[in-house]
Amino acid sequence: MSTRRSTSSGQNAPSDGQGLERQLRLARARNHTLQLRLRAVADNLGHGLSLYDRHGHLVVCNQQFLDIYRLPPELGKAGTSFRRILEARVRNNTHVGTDGPGYVEGRVAAVREHRPMGGIHRLNSGQVISMTHQPMADGGWVSTHRDVTELFNMQAELTHLAYHDPLTGLPNRTLFYQRIAHAFDSLGETGGFAVLCLDLDGFKPINDLHGHATGDALLRQFASRLTRALGAGDTAARMGGDEFAILHGGDEESALDLAHRLAEICQQPFDFDGEVVSIAVGIGIAHAPVDGADTDALLHSADLALYSAKRGGRGGIRAYAPDLDSEAADRRRLEAELRRAIENGEFELYYQPILDLRGGSFAGFEALIRWEHPERGRVSPAEFIPVAEESGLIVMIGEWALREAFAEAARWPAELRVAVNVSTIQLRRGNLVATVMNALAQSGLAPCRAEIEITESVFLEQSEQSLEALRQLRALGVRIALDDFGTGFSALSYLLAFPFDKLKIDGSFVRALETSDGAATIVSAVADIGSRLGMSTTAEGIETPEQLRAVHAAGYAEAQGYLISRPLTRKSIRAMLHAHYDTMPEAPVSEREAS
Ligand code: C2E
Ligand code: MG
Ligand code: MG
């Protein structure tokens, strides 16, 4: 131990010239070793490194540093000036945004003045370099250069994902809200802008019927049609599901123009490997700042307008107006009252006789719901059924109606049928087949005495599931009637798509009989179609003897209307049946009091 110490102290204390020379050699060798070690460390750092002295001369750099900036090996030698390296870097890689002649001078001055210089640089190669700059006590500096391209791209992708819908690539709700907020901020310059809310009609059935792959492809195609139709400053976003929205920099007129253009574009059928599907789009428009002073208020107005557009039928366009607010409030109130009405049993079924035109007696009765509102009195089904459908409450109400009507009909003479109106929503959301089966079982009514009335809207849904439910009901022996025929789209293909037992031509044609030749033609054509397809026919809304004669002459099997009888309470029906049929059982005392 002590020997070694003395050797080492001998080295540190040169005593003669020869010793000095040896010292120098040793120092150089050590310096060289140090350089090599430094270089070895630097090369294994995993990122580029360059070390400069206080004169701006390179002390050491590593291979990665040279690689990143594609510098030739000779520039990596100790003593190369920072300026030369910088010039070569700019020449080779041209940092994005460093084209100006002042760039090199600026950097050289910056290191001279010990200003911090780290940051992210993008090279023209696409690489992204994260650079640190660390001044050292002796006036030199060390800088590291890390290739963060992958990280950077990942970050960018994450940011993109956070603000875009992965399916369509459109901005998502979050980004859309930001854009609207920005548009509000710029109101001073623009004066106003519009928001359009879009909702595809009949998308869900396409998804159900053609599969999710087709549904997704449809949304993508729809999104690209949208994008192509927009102006430069406009933003289209996917808000979720089949809901889209557009931010449009324009006045009322140009927004309405855009809406019509979009509606037209969407009407062109979509083609998926030969599978052609068509959709319509409902559009609601709101303008800032008049229809909403902030993002939420504006979107709410556009939503109300959309809602109103959709209520008007397929592919509607509607701009917001203040009366939509009170309509929405009315609807909400009505919905709350409907819930209460279900609990309190405020509904009652009336029964309208249906006349058998061949035999001259009653064929049966159509059950029509009535709501006795505690304050408002009687509310028409035309008013509350749509609200019950939108809220889904129709499922419960409809179930009640089926049970009630079947139980009542079970008391009637066996040749009389009961017809119950069923909403498409019940087919879609409720389990109609099970509900009907339960109601039949509970009441003991023979299935052939039960008739379900549905409207053409069941076909608008294009839902195979709904048609299948109807097929099952028919297989049980329940009759299926197509109600209000002629008021919807009345495609004759509907009649081929499902074997209805009965067609009910809408009362509006019967009412127009006297005034319109066209109506007379339609009335008799429907009777013909029915007889050719083996479907029974009923004429609704008969109010005059002339109308009754006309539909009779046209060949209708049944007639229904105020002329024959208005809808009656079950009590009146029972009394009437009791008078006509000796076999009609008397209602039990408790029930008689109840009704
Ligand atoms: P709908 O099924 O077409 O029923 C015929 C409507 O015409 C009934 O209106 C009936 O009272 C009325 N009506 C009958 N004869 C005449 C006539 O000679 N002249 C005129 N002007 N009208 C006549 P109501 O009871 O107001 O029902 C309206 C609609 O509400 C029904 O049309 C039906 O679609 C729906 N609805 C009624 N009850 C129910 C139900 O229990 N469930 C469902 N889902 N819908 C129902
Ligand atoms: Mg009906
Ligand atoms: Mg009808």
Side-chain angles (χ1 to χ4, degrees):
M1 213 41 195
S2 61
T3 330
R4 269 182 91 176
R5 199 186 290 146
S6 74
T7 316
S8 121
S9 69
Q11 279 176 355
N12 287 343
S15 49
D16 50 38
Q18 199 195 13
L20 193 69
E21 200 176 300
R22 199 173 129 249
Q23 278 303 137
L24 215 63
R25 227 179 23 245
L26 269 173
R28 263 197 225 110
R30 236 186 280 133
N31 195 12
H32 185 64
T33 318
L34 194 70
Q35 276 268 343
L36 283 179
R37 285 193 187 147
L38 207 57
R39 185 72 197 242
V41 170
D43 279 344
N44 285 290
L45 266 181
H47 54 255
L49 177 127
S50 52
L51 176 68
Y52 297 88
D53 64 16
R54 67 193 163 97
H55 307 294
H57 290 141
L58 189 67
V59 176
V60 73
C61 72
N62 65 359
Q63 190 58 41
Q64 274 129 312
F65 173 75
L66 299 174
D67 289 346
I68 286 175
Y69 299 106
R70 277 181 273 140
L71 299 173
E74 67 267 20
L75 284 187
K77 288 202 180 113
T80 313
S81 74
F82 175 60
R83 178 188 296 274
R84 259 189 84 200
I85 291 180
L86 207 54
E87 280 166 356
R89 267 167 56 177
V90 169
R91 212 167 33 247
N92 289 351
N93 307 87
T94 321
H95 297 41
V96 173
T98 56
D99 293 339
Y103 178 73
V104 171
E105 294 313 322
R107 302 288 285 192
V108 169
V111 291
R112 193 179 299 135
E113 290 154 24
H114 307 299
R115 274 189 267 133
M117 289 205 309
I120 301 279
H121 301 277
R122 195 180 269 281
L123 307 188
N124 270 355
S125 61
Q127 275 171 296
V128 181
I129 308 299
S130 163
M131 202 186 97
T132 66
H133 175 90
Q134 184 64 50
M136 294 195 302
D138 69 353
W141 72 95
V142 61
S143 58
T144 62
H145 308 255
R146 193 189 294 266
D147 186 334
V148 291
T149 314
E150 212 169 303
L151 195 74
F152 196 83
N153 288 347
M154 225 161 70
Q155 201 69 45
E157 202 170 311
L158 282 177
T159 312
H160 185 86
L161 276 179
Y163 289 104
H164 291 82
D165 163 47
L167 180 69
T168 59
L170 289 182
N172 65 10
R173 186 182 284 271
T174 310
L175 183 54
F176 191 66
Y177 272 59
Q178 282 186 10
R179 297 265 166 94
I180 296 182
H182 186 253
F184 268 112
D185 289 342
S186 319
L187 267 183
E189 300 118 60
T190 60
F193 62 94
V195 163
L196 291 79
C197 283
L198 284 70
D199 186 293
L200 303 186
D201 286 328
F203 174 72
K204 197 189 167 294
I206 288 176
N207 231 4
D208 291 349
L209 208 62
H210 299 267
H212 287 268
T214 303
D216 284 356
L218 176 79
L219 290 174
R220 270 196 296 266
Q221 282 191 26
F222 178 74
S224 70
R225 285 188 192 182
L226 267 191
T227 319
R228 266 178 279 141
L230 295 188
D234 299 349
T235 300
R238 180 165 177 226
M239 306 295 268
D242 59 355
E243 288 169 35
F244 294 82
I246 288 166
L247 172 65
H248 173 66
D251 61 2
E252 278 86 345
E253 205 182 308
S254 96
L256 203 59
D257 258 13
L258 175 62
H260 281 290
R261 211 147 19 92
L262 292 177
E264 202 180 296
I265 288 169
C266 296
Q267 262 162 21
Q268 322 290 330
F270 291 81
D271 190 339
F272 306 98
D273 298 328
E275 262 195 278
V276 178
V277 299
S278 65
I279 51 163
V281 60
I283 304 177
I285 311 171
H287 294 277
V290 280
D291 300 337
D294 59 34
T295 307
D296 283 336
L298 186 66
L299 280 172
H300 180 70
S301 296
D303 265 340
L304 280 183
L306 170 63
Y307 183 81
S308 162
K310 291 195 66 121
R311 271 166 74 100
R314 253 166 96 87
I317 295 172
R318 176 86 148 87
Y320 171 82
D323 59 329
L324 291 181
D325 282 323
S326 51
E327 274 177 36
D330 287 350
R331 252 192 332 268
R332 274 198 302 278
R333 194 174 332 110
L334 197 61
E335 193 183 312
E337 288 172 346
L338 271 177
R339 284 181 203 281
R340 192 203 53 204
I342 295 172
E343 283 164 23
N344 297 356
E346 292 169 17
F347 298 112
E348 187 183 357
L349 288 184
Y350 272 49
Y351 298 89
Q352 186 175 36
I354 301 168
L355 185 65
D356 177 352
L357 287 174
R358 311 240 161 98
S361 59
F362 288 136
F365 300 88
E366 176 177 4
L368 294 160
I369 197 162
R370 297 289 176 264
W371 178 14
E372 207 56 55
H373 190 285
E375 294 105 44
R376 284 199 274 163
R378 178 160 301 165
V379 185
S380 152
E383 190 181 336
F384 73 81
I385 294 284
V387 177
E389 289 182 329
E390 283 151 19
S391 58
L393 292 171
I394 192 68
V395 174
M396 265 199 276
I397 297 173
E399 189 175 335
W400 170 84
L402 282 164
R403 272 191 278 111
E404 175 79 10
F406 287 2
E408 188 60 23
R411 312 168 59 112
W412 302 338
E415 60 265 43
L416 295 175
R417 280 194 302 261
V418 69
V420 182
N421 293 284
V422 162
S423 154
T424 353
I425 310 290
Q426 287 171 266
L427 274 166
R428 209 192 318 147
R429 291 212 229 157
N431 188 349
L432 187 66
V433 180
T435 305
V436 168
M437 279 171 76
N438 283 337
L440 286 173
Q442 267 174 26
S443 62
L445 186 74
C448 63
R449 295 178 60 201
E451 198 164 77
I452 299 295
E453 292 192 7
I454 59 149
T455 61
E456 288 168 39
S457 58
V458 75
F459 293 103
L460 287 187
E461 305 260 315
Q462 296 183 7
S463 170
E464 187 47 36
Q465 184 198 327
S466 298
L467 289 184
E468 180 53 32
L470 289 179
R471 266 183 223 116
Q472 288 176 17
L473 287 176
R474 217 168 163 259
L476 287 175
V478 173
R479 291 161 52 93
I480 311 290
L482 185 56
D483 202 358
D484 303 341
F485 187 64
T487 53
F489 289 76
S490 298
L492 292 178
S493 60
Y494 296 161
L495 301 181
L496 300 176
F498 189 82
F500 290 100
D501 296 285
K502 183 193 271 191
L503 293 182
K504 296 186 79 169
I505 188 171
D506 192 68
S508 55
F509 296 102
V510 173
R511 267 191 292 285
L513 269 178
E514 276 114 88
T515 51
S516 144
D517 289 343
T521 310
I522 291 172
V523 167
S524 73
V526 170
D528 274 357
I529 292 167
S531 78
R532 274 168 206 269
L533 294 175
M535 299 174 186
S536 177
T537 43
T538 301
E540 289 188 293
I542 308 288
E543 292 180 354
T544 67
E546 291 74 32
Q547 289 166 351
L548 186 61
R549 264 196 297 278
V551 299
H552 186 239
Y556 281 82
E558 296 171 351
Q560 184 182 350
Y562 292 169
L563 176 73
I564 299 150
S565 167
R566 288 183 172 263
L568 303 169
T569 62
R570 62 175 182 184
K571 202 172 153 195
S572 313
I573 297 289
R574 283 181 193 173
M576 186 178 85
L577 291 176
H578 191 62
H580 280 75
Y581 297 84
D582 299 335
T583 54
M584 174 72 185
E586 269 280 11
V589 177
S590 60
E591 278 228 7
R592 237 184 296 160
E593 279 165 359
S595 51

